[in-house]
Amino acid sequence: MTKSDIVNKVAEATGLTKVETEAVLEGLISTIINGMSSGERIDIRGFGSFIVKKKEARSARNPATNEVIFLEERYVPYFKISKLLKEKVNKSLTNK
């Protein structure tokens, strides 16, 4: 499912226009990105949590050249799925 598919489905379900729905979706995505960029945790009950994880600096090996490289400390966006969403997806897919 693409972003435009989501916009179409939400517009049909809510009665909003596609333009309004896309503006709301863009606002949601922008808010999540801005929150994570400032280190905030975003929780959406029944869906999941958007968090930022810190990865420590370490050395790694390039598998193609076998060269050792150094990876600096970095922060990685992470999504943790809620238990409710896991159960619903599992139930839906096992009943097919």
Side-chain angles (χ1 to χ4, degrees):
M1 183 179 289
T2 65
K3 184 175 165 184
S4 62
D5 294 334
I6 294 170
V7 168
N8 291 336
K9 286 187 183 254
V10 172
E12 287 174 17
T14 61
L16 295 172
T17 67
K18 289 181 183 178
V19 173
E20 293 169 330
T21 305
E22 187 169 7
V24 170
L25 183 60
E26 285 293 330
L28 175 67
I29 293 169
S30 175
T31 302
I32 291 171
I33 291 171
N34 290 336
M36 291 181 75
S37 295
S38 63
E40 290 182 62
R41 176 187 174 117
I42 294 101
D43 292 311
I44 303 174
R45 289 187 183 247
F47 185 68
S49 302
F50 296 90
I51 57 177
V52 178
K53 288 188 172 185
K54 180 179 179 180
K55 299 285 186 170
E56 297 295 333
R58 65 183 178 95
S59 59
R61 188 175 303 277
N62 180 339
T65 63
N66 216 19
E67 174 189 0
V68 175
I69 56 174
F70 182 74
L71 299 175
E72 294 182 6
E73 173 184 278
R74 62 205 180 281
Y75 295 88
V76 180
Y78 179 76
F79 178 70
K80 182 179 178 187
I81 300 168
S82 78
K83 183 178 177 183
L84 183 65
L85 179 58
K86 280 183 193 178
E87 290 171 354
K88 187 167 183 157
V89 169
N90 189 42
K91 185 177 180 181
S92 296
L93 292 176
T94 55
N95 289 336
K96 283 189 172 185

